[in-house]
Amino acid sequence: MLTVLSNYLESIRDNLRLDHSSEKEVIQELETHIEDEVEELRESGLSEEEAADTCLTLLGSAKMVARQIYEAHSQGSWTQALLAATPHILFGLLFALNWWQGVGWLLGMLVLILIMAVYGWWRGKPAWLFPWLGYSLLPVVVAALLLLYLPKSWSWVAILVYLPLALWLLYSITVQTIKRDWLYISLMLLPLPTIAGWFVAIEPVNQFPEDWLQRMQDFAPWIGLTFLALGVTVATFIRVRKRWLRVSVLVFSGMITLTIVAYYTDGRLSIPAFLILMVVMLLVLLSPALVERTLRHSG
Amino acid sequence: MAKKNELIKGSIDSLLLCVIVQQPIYGYQIIKELDSRSQGYFKFKEGTLYPALHRLERAGLIRGEWQTLPNGRQRRYYHITEKGLYTLAAKRGQWLDFLTAMNLIIQPVGK
């Protein structure tokens, strides 16, 4: 096959963002189409180069074809949308119904999250996996924060041993999934800005953890509300087809949840802190796009 | 031309189902079939065919199956499903009603 045709198929592959088996089938189908068409054009008297150019003109832009095929495949079913929203809904209910102080509930949820994360990974990383994956990494992040708040010697343990290990874990999962579609990493990281927002808003000043637990108790219904909002976001994300709509849904939900945090904590979140959190939210949700681009270009 | 493309875009599902219902068929053959049966009227960017086929497949109206040819090449043949047959019958009915009504309106009034 001529380089120009191989490059066309490669450009489609780069922009498809489908799972490996679907991507392979799409490329194979298009390759057969190109071979059939070039063969027929050559039989009609065109040179190989002329036949390739005509074939590419008839097919249309690689980016447009890839985008349309992505949109044909991207929409998940309602079951998948519900499955993806479930960890957020469970997390929301944990706070809204005040179950978060029950060790049994927390352990049960942790076990369920880990089972679903392992099952989804084993099933070829479907879109519904990523919210579960995000929550399965949450204990890793929370443990790091708790270590930092413990007496000083523990902070050193956190900085020297735990944080590098936690970052390595996050990095390896990110690299394994980001080449397919950076949006799934954003989906995985979606609760982080909201958690950071609540953490800053109810930040302990004097007594830790007594002061902190009391404030958690006070704000629990609103914490629950923000996670339920994330559940709605994720379900919408799974159901919409277009990429720009998916990005908009994620960013809009980040803005809404941080606004809820600021509104219901009665000024605990200062305007500069709110603005910084907004910037952090945009960085968390959109920076995977830059990482993906860098990884793709570095081969 | 843009208006013609919009018309084709709006009817592509019906066109594809009408071709696939005749026999199991692959992408490139669909293009040729549409071109010959419409006497050259239905020409569109061939790349847009596959997104439409995949959309119909995900909706359960058609089913794609790989077949290996004697020369070793593989082709993906599309078959219509039960759901596809039912949808096609409904679409045909809608089209015929639409065409009858359009003809009544647009044909010149006899004196």
Side-chain angles (χ1 to χ4, degrees):
Chain A
M1 187 176 274
L2 283 178
T3 314
V4 65
L5 296 172
S6 308
N7 288 345
Y8 181 83
L9 287 174
E10 205 50 46
S11 175
I12 288 187
R13 192 198 302 276
D14 279 349
N15 290 286
L16 268 182
R17 301 168 194 283
L18 301 179
D19 62 88
H20 183 66
S21 65
S22 305
E23 178 188 288
K24 200 177 154 194
E25 287 204 351
V26 168
I27 296 298
Q28 194 174 351
E29 191 171 27
L30 288 169
E31 195 175 351
T32 315
H33 180 106
I34 287 173
E35 282 169 357
D36 283 338
E37 186 140 52
V38 167
E39 195 178 306
E40 195 177 299
L41 288 167
R42 290 207 69 194
E43 280 168 9
S44 73
L46 296 185
S47 71
E48 195 170 359
E49 285 75 18
E50 285 169 337
D53 286 346
T54 309
C55 177
L56 293 186
T57 309
L58 289 169
L59 277 166
S61 131
K63 278 191 177 172
M64 181 204 69
V65 174
R67 181 175 53 78
Q68 290 186 354
I69 292 178
Y70 169 84
E71 286 171 10
H73 284 256
S74 61
Q75 189 185 42
S77 65
W78 282 109
T79 312
Q80 287 168 331
L82 184 65
L83 206 53
T86 302
H88 295 294
I89 294 170
L90 286 177
F91 216 75
L93 290 177
L94 207 66
F95 285 95
L97 303 174
N98 247 329
W99 293 341
W100 65 278
Q101 293 185 76
V103 178
W105 285 112
L106 287 176
L107 272 177
M109 193 160 152
L110 187 63
V111 169
L112 178 68
I113 284 170
L114 288 175
I115 289 172
M116 292 303 288
V118 171
Y119 176 70
W121 194 273
W122 174 66
R123 288 289 305 268
K125 306 187 200 95
W128 61 257
L129 159 73
F130 293 91
W132 292 94
L133 206 55
Y135 281 100
S136 72
L137 294 174
L138 201 58
V140 178
V141 176
V142 171
L145 289 171
L146 289 178
L147 280 174
L148 287 174
Y149 271 93
L150 286 174
K152 267 193 172 171
S153 56
W154 286 102
S155 303
W156 283 110
V157 173
I159 292 165
L160 291 175
V161 182
Y162 190 82
L163 286 180
L165 274 174
L167 285 173
W168 172 81
L169 182 71
L170 286 172
Y171 176 78
S172 59
I173 288 175
T174 305
V175 166
Q176 282 193 54
T177 46
I178 209 165
K179 281 184 181 173
R180 177 172 148 202
D181 190 348
W182 64 268
L183 268 181
Y184 292 139
I185 298 299
S186 305
L187 196 62
M188 186 178 91
L189 301 177
L190 182 65
L192 276 186
T194 310
I195 292 169
W198 281 114
F199 202 83
V200 172
I202 59 177
E203 189 187 17
V205 181
N206 298 319
Q207 300 162 297
F208 180 80
E210 292 80 6
D211 197 21
W212 194 60
L213 288 175
Q214 182 54 47
R215 288 184 191 179
M216 287 264 285
Q217 176 96 34
D218 296 342
F219 294 117
W222 311 120
I223 297 175
L225 178 69
T226 49
F227 285 99
L228 290 174
L230 293 183
V232 174
T233 301
V234 168
T236 312
F237 177 96
I238 297 288
R239 289 295 297 165
V240 297
R241 290 173 188 272
K242 294 187 184 295
R243 282 185 74 74
W244 69 268
L245 263 178
R246 290 184 149 192
V247 176
S248 309
V249 162
L250 293 183
V251 171
F252 185 66
S253 85
M255 290 164 78
I256 289 286
T257 50
L258 287 177
T259 307
I260 291 175
V261 175
Y263 183 78
Y264 285 109
T265 49
D266 298 327
R268 278 180 186 278
L269 207 60
S270 63
I271 292 174
F274 176 72
L275 293 175
I276 289 170
L277 279 168
M278 281 285 184
V279 173
V280 169
M281 179 270 294
L282 289 172
L283 280 174
V284 167
L285 297 182
L286 302 179
S287 62
L290 293 175
V291 179
E292 182 203 59
R293 183 177 282 245
T294 311
L295 285 174
R296 275 176 191 264
H297 285 286
S298 65
Chain B
M1 193 54 157
K3 281 178 184 169
K4 181 184 157 187
N5 283 340
E6 283 303 309
L7 274 174
I8 294 173
K9 203 174 158 188
S11 341
I12 193 160
D13 290 3
S14 305
L15 290 170
L16 292 177
L17 289 174
C18 280
V19 173
I20 296 169
V21 76
Q22 305 278 321
Q23 56 172 333
I25 189 167
Y26 57 93
Y28 186 62
Q29 200 183 356
I30 292 175
I31 300 272
K32 295 275 134 197
E33 190 71 11
L34 281 174
D35 187 38
S36 82
R37 279 171 65 179
S38 68
Q39 297 174 349
Y41 185 82
F42 289 131
K43 279 193 188 298
F44 49 92
K45 284 286 177 198
E46 294 176 9
T48 60
L49 169 75
Y50 293 97
L53 284 171
H54 289 209
R55 193 163 30 77
L56 290 177
E57 188 175 12
R58 284 181 69 86
L61 304 181
I62 57 173
R63 189 183 74 251
E65 273 179 20
W66 286 100
Q67 278 184 26
T68 310
L69 305 178
N71 62 8
R73 278 170 73 180
Q74 283 202 314
R75 280 214 180 103
R76 194 147 200 260
Y77 281 82
Y78 289 94
H79 304 248
I80 197 148
T81 61
E82 283 291 319
K83 192 178 171 187
L85 284 171
Y86 179 79
T87 306
L88 178 60
K91 281 184 182 290
R92 269 194 175 131
Q94 286 166 6
W95 261 109
L96 290 174
D97 290 347
F98 179 76
L99 285 176
T100 310
M102 278 295 282
N103 280 333
L104 289 172
I105 304 294
I106 63 173
Q107 67 189 347
V109 181
K111 288 189 179 176

